[in-house]
Structure formats: structure tokens, C-alpha cells
Amino acid sequence: MTARSTRRSTATHPRLAAVGAIAVAGALLLTGCGDQTKDKTNDSGSASSGAPLAGKLPQSIRGKGKILVGSDIAYAPVEFKDSSGKAVGLDPDLAAALGKQLGVTFEFRNGTFDALLTGLRSGRYDIAMSAMTDNKDRQQGIDPDTGKKVGEGVDFVDYLTAGVSIYTRKGDTQGITGWSDLCGKKIAVERSTVSEDLAKAEAKKCPAGKKLSIEPFDDDQQSQTRLRSGGVDAASSDFPVAAYAAKTSGGGKDFQIVGDQVSAAPYGIAVSKESGQLRDALKAAMDAIIKNGEYQKILEKWGAQDGAVKESVINGGK
């Protein structure tokens, strides 16, 4: 969820590189972020020998014919559930395209964002793909609040660039035009995201008597609900998500983005550092769909074309 340190931090999910106006894909935002169930539309099976890059996958993945994906599926338009319960959005579409190159299906399993890397470490997922910002803390397993090492870290296959935005109720900005205007206000964020990291950093700058109150939630939909009800003055998400919410929630009457995007950074597919072969196979597949044009078509479908990259990079986050 930018990244959601939306960037979702890490944990951090940022989201500046101006990802363009978000397309309305016609699907309603649905919650269901913590049920740990798989997307029932995906099937398993052995890897297809006809896929051009199938041979690059580890035998363990080729044998089961699928890649298990940990994702917070409540972050439209990057990933969310449609009215039938199917995982849809930018990430599922990209995953399907990668699957054609690798000869496997990508099976999305729902979880809260702050638990995705834990699930990856425990073997519940093969990868995490959830608008997750690639940064050094996550690569090295560092807690951004304490600066202490809490895990072995992960590798990232980067595939998009995005920034973080603030939004308010439409017509009720409370004088907020950017992060420096939040002192004395209340803001809703998704837990363990870059948005939460940015809010914490801003709170340290506030003078006595003008405290910035931060309300973290398990998913972005809860943040939106809190803002919509008037419980907070603002919320923050990656720009693609904030823009989609502003365009679709209440028919475009609920929210408005205020100020500029900040903290531009790459989204990456998280892979265990012990899974170098899988990481390299994903990079090769991502480069293939960038080259054949399928990547660009998917980004345009979801209004994210301004965040396009020319090639995938391993651990490009700073």
C-alpha cells in the first residue's frame, strides 16, 4: 500500500514518478484483505514446455506448475477483488503475462500487507507482489523505525515507479496542501507502508501543541472509510491508489488529492534471497513482456503508463 513507506515501507510501499490518471476499470473496490485465501480463478498444473522461458524456473516451481503470490488484495487499481471475488488489477495482469512466458500460473493469496514478507520467509508464498516499494531496509531486513536488523531481507525484481500522495474529503482540505501542513491534524495510513513512515517523520517535526495524530490500519480500504466518515482529516496512499479512490469513490465525490507526489521509488516483486534462480527467471520474463509490448498495454489499461520502466532491475531501490 506508495508504497502501502506507499510506499509500502518495511516495510515501505511508495508510490512519485507520476503514474498518470487512473483508469476506471469498472470494478468496485472490495475488502477481504486478511483472509489468506487463494484467488479461486487460478488453476495449478505443471509448467508448459512450450513457454519460451520455462526452463529458467527452478524445478520445484516447474513441477507444481504455479507460483504462490502473497498480496494485499485491497489496493485498487494495483490489486483488488472484483464482484466475483477474482483478483484483478495491474499486478494480477502483469503476473498473468509473466506466466505465459514462464509456463506457470500465478496464484494470488490474500494477506495483510505488513505480514507478506513474514509469509514469504515462512514459505507460505513463493513471492510477494503487492505494490511493494523496493528499498534498502527491505533488501537488508532492517526495521525502519528502530534501524535494527529483524530478518534476512529479500531481493526485488523492479517493474514500475510511483510516488506517495495525500488526499482529503472533497471540498474539505482543512488547509492541507502537503506534508508540512499536517501538524495539528489526523491522518489515516496503511500499516507498515511508506505513507506511515512519512507520517512518522513529519510528526517529529511538529511543534508542541500541534501534534500530528497517525491512525494506522490493516488495509487501505479501512483508511478510506475512516476519512470518508470524518474521523481523520486526510489519508495517504501510493499515487495510483489515491488517484483511483478520488476518481471512483462515491462517483468521484468523496475524495480529492492535495499537493504533489513525494518519495518516488520502484515497485518490486519480493523474492527470498535463497531463491536466486526464481528471481532471475522473473526478471527475464518481465524484460520479455516489456520488449514485446504487453507490459505497456497493461499499464495503459490501469492508467499507470507514466511509471513505466524500460527494463527490469534487481534491487534498484535506495
Side-chain angles (χ1 to χ4, degrees):
M1 47 16 229
T2 175
R4 98 202 221 216
S5 350
T6 290
R7 275 151 206 345
R8 299 180 189 193
S9 208
T10 309
T12 309
H13 228 193
R15 301 171 195 249
L16 232 166
V19 177
I22 299 302
V24 180
L28 297 176
L29 307 186
L30 299 178
T31 56
C33 220
D35 59 9
Q36 298 297 342
T37 56
K38 68 180 181 181
D39 172 2
K40 54 191 175 188
T41 64
N42 289 303
D43 299 318
S44 61
S46 60
S48 169
S49 60
L53 300 178
K56 290 185 174 293
L57 285 170
Q59 183 57 48
S60 60
I61 298 290
R62 293 165 62 190
K64 67 182 180 182
K66 61 184 176 182
I67 293 175
L68 302 181
V69 184
S71 188
D72 175 11
I73 312 176
Y75 209 60
V78 186
E79 55 264 322
F80 59 108
K81 290 186 177 182
D82 66 13
S83 58
S84 70
K86 178 184 177 182
V88 296
L90 174 67
D91 280 353
D93 280 0
L94 287 174
L98 296 177
K100 288 189 290 186
Q101 295 292 321
L102 296 168
V104 293
T105 57
F106 282 64
E107 184 178 283
F108 278 73
R109 295 188 170 184
N110 202 13
T112 56
F113 185 77
D114 61 354
L116 295 181
L117 294 187
T118 300
L120 182 61
R121 287 193 292 268
S122 70
R124 179 182 298 157
Y125 316 125
D126 297 312
I127 64 174
M129 188 175 188
S130 192
M132 186 175 288
T133 299
D134 172 9
N135 56 41
K136 292 298 183 184
D137 282 347
R138 284 178 170 161
Q139 293 171 22
Q140 299 170 6
I142 303 297
D143 184 311
D145 291 331
T146 65
K148 295 181 179 180
K149 191 170 179 64
V150 294
E152 68 272 23
V154 296
D155 286 335
F156 285 97
V157 179
D158 297 341
Y159 62 96
L160 188 75
T161 305
V164 180
S165 292
I166 298 171
Y167 57 103
T168 66
R169 290 180 297 280
K170 194 162 189 176
D172 185 20
T173 66
Q174 300 287 311
I176 299 169
T177 60
W179 290 91
S180 61
D181 299 320
L182 290 173
C183 293
K185 303 290 196 295
K186 296 180 180 179
I187 188 169
V189 296
E190 184 176 354
R191 189 174 285 109
S192 296
T193 65
V194 174
S195 289
E196 184 178 24
D197 290 348
L198 290 172
K200 288 178 177 178
E202 196 61 42
K204 294 177 180 178
K205 304 175 187 177
C206 293
K210 291 195 69 176
K211 177 183 177 181
L212 167 56
S213 297
I214 303 168
E215 295 192 13
F217 294 91
D218 286 340
D219 65 57
D220 195 68
Q221 291 303 299
Q222 294 173 10
S223 295
Q224 291 183 26
T225 298
R226 183 64 167 157
L227 176 60
R228 193 181 293 111
S229 70
V232 293
D233 302 299
S236 177
S237 304
D238 292 354
F239 172 71
V241 176
Y244 189 90
K247 192 173 185 70
T248 62
S249 181
K253 297 179 180 179
D254 286 348
F255 306 128
Q256 69 181 81
I257 292 178
V258 294
D260 297 326
Q261 298 177 61
V262 299
S263 298
Y267 282 0
I269 301 172
V271 186
S272 168
K273 287 189 178 293
E274 298 178 354
S275 301
Q277 186 177 354
L278 174 58
R279 176 202 64 203
D280 293 346
L282 290 169
K283 181 188 184 307
M286 188 67 72
D287 285 337
I289 67 171
I290 290 172
K291 185 176 180 179
N292 70 19
E294 193 166 5
Y295 168 85
Q296 185 67 23
K297 291 178 181 178
I298 292 170
L299 265 59
E300 290 175 357
K301 173 183 175 181
W302 295 105
Q305 62 271 19
D306 288 347
V309 297
K310 294 182 179 180
E311 65 176 348
S312 181
V313 173
I314 303 295
N315 294 334
K318 299 179 179 179

